[in-house]
Amino acid sequence: MTAPVRATGAPFLHRIASVPEKIDPTRYPFNIRAFSHGIELAFRSKVTFFVGENGSGKSTLLEALAECCGFNPEGGNRDHHRATFADRSPLAQALRLSWLPKVTEGFFMRAESFYNFATYIEQASDLRAYGGKSLHEQSHGESFISLFANRFEQGIYILDEPEAALSPQRQLSFLKIIHDLATPGHAQFLIATHSPILLSYPGAVLFDLDGDTIREIDYRETKHFLITRDFLNAPDRFFKHLFGAVADDGGDA
């Protein structure tokens, strides 16, 4: 009998689970609502999104996963370590990752520290892996796309709000980059985002962190989709709720 052929492409990271004895529910970040009952997630898609309001724990979870993968928690890959981040965070120490197969290639990007990462690259790299041009000499959106298009090849990519500097058109370009890498199984993406455009990626799995546990959610059930849809359909209704009744001449009613 022929043994089944084991898949070698993405998703490489299949499961994460927290270790109960390493969790203190009275301390941050374990007192975040979505983490209150522990963390246990299975990844069955090459593209996974994490959604939730600010403070729901999306960035905290992705940073811990990046640490577990050996990436610099300020951004970069396994080559971009700095001594100040030698010790893992409490959440990273409490997580166990299951791989099939284990990969070491990849990248962690967080929008809020991208400037510092670009400065580090300016000093440590000849920039060939980043399009041959300083990231600081490009617009914010151009530098993001340059990173995605030139640096992303194979491995696991953990991205915290990559849409921060991307116009809607650039977000569509980014979806094409995801497609070109994920479809053949070269890459796995774990992305925290507020963008309804990115969340619409076909076949992606979405996890919502706004409840007492992390739960899977359909794209069309996310607040991001519902609010954006309803606002575009009837912006005046939102303005009336936000600003109060406004007279036709623009003055106070």
Side-chain angles (χ1 to χ4, degrees):
M1 181 177 179
T2 303
V5 177
R6 177 177 293 180
T8 58
F12 310 110
L13 178 60
H14 279 250
R15 182 176 178 270
I16 64 171
S18 55
V19 180
E21 56 266 29
K22 290 184 176 291
I23 292 177
D24 181 352
T26 66
R27 295 178 52 211
Y28 179 86
F30 305 110
N31 58 3
I32 291 176
R33 185 183 173 196
F35 304 158
S36 61
H37 298 287
I39 299 170
E40 185 167 355
L41 299 175
F43 301 107
R44 65 179 190 276
S45 172
K46 300 167 189 173
V47 181
T48 302
F49 291 108
F50 297 87
V51 299
E53 287 297 325
N54 296 332
S56 63
K58 302 185 307 300
S59 298
T60 302
L61 178 57
L62 287 195
E63 181 177 312
L65 289 175
E67 291 182 82
C68 291
C69 292
F71 302 151
N72 189 317
E74 191 170 309
N77 59 22
R78 295 174 69 92
D79 297 329
H80 300 143
H81 285 294
R82 295 169 219 175
T84 53
F85 297 109
D87 296 328
R88 289 185 178 181
S89 66
L91 181 56
Q93 294 179 31
L95 292 178
R96 294 295 178 266
L97 280 59
S98 299
W99 301 83
L100 186 65
K102 176 69 181 291
V103 297
T104 58
E105 299 86 1
F107 202 92
F108 174 48
M109 195 214 78
R110 54 190 311 169
E112 65 182 34
S113 59
F114 185 78
Y115 180 89
N116 294 336
F117 172 76
T119 299
Y120 171 79
I121 291 302
E122 192 95 355
Q123 300 167 349
S125 171
D126 61 9
L127 302 177
R128 282 184 297 178
Y130 301 89
K133 184 179 180 180
S134 167
L135 296 177
H136 284 314
E137 293 178 5
Q138 305 176 54
S139 73
H140 206 185
E142 289 173 336
S143 63
F144 273 38
I145 289 295
S146 178
L147 171 67
F148 302 151
N150 294 287
R151 187 61 182 79
F152 289 12
E153 295 176 347
Q154 183 167 345
I156 185 166
Y157 294 94
I158 303 173
L159 312 177
D160 187 13
E161 298 185 8
E163 77 278 6
L166 301 180
S167 68
Q169 183 61 49
R170 293 286 191 180
Q171 291 182 44
L172 294 175
S173 298
F174 178 46
L175 288 180
K176 177 64 162 58
I177 293 172
I178 292 177
H179 173 80
D180 289 347
L181 292 174
T183 300
H186 297 324
Q188 178 178 4
F189 290 88
L190 306 177
I191 303 174
T193 183
H194 295 290
S195 167
I197 293 177
L198 297 188
L199 291 173
S200 69
Y201 184 82
V205 170
L206 281 62
F207 288 114
D208 181 18
L209 280 74
D210 277 335
D212 292 331
T213 60
I214 304 174
R215 68 182 184 93
E216 190 171 329
I217 189 171
D218 184 82
Y219 162 61
R220 291 173 178 80
E221 295 177 357
T222 63
K223 294 178 182 177
H224 307 72
F225 172 82
L226 295 172
I227 292 175
T228 302
R229 180 200 63 188
D230 293 347
F231 176 80
L232 293 176
N233 286 336
D236 290 345
R237 180 165 60 88
F238 280 79
F239 295 147
K240 184 176 181 180
H241 175 74
L242 291 170
F243 310 142
V246 178
D248 292 340
D249 61 2
D252 293 339

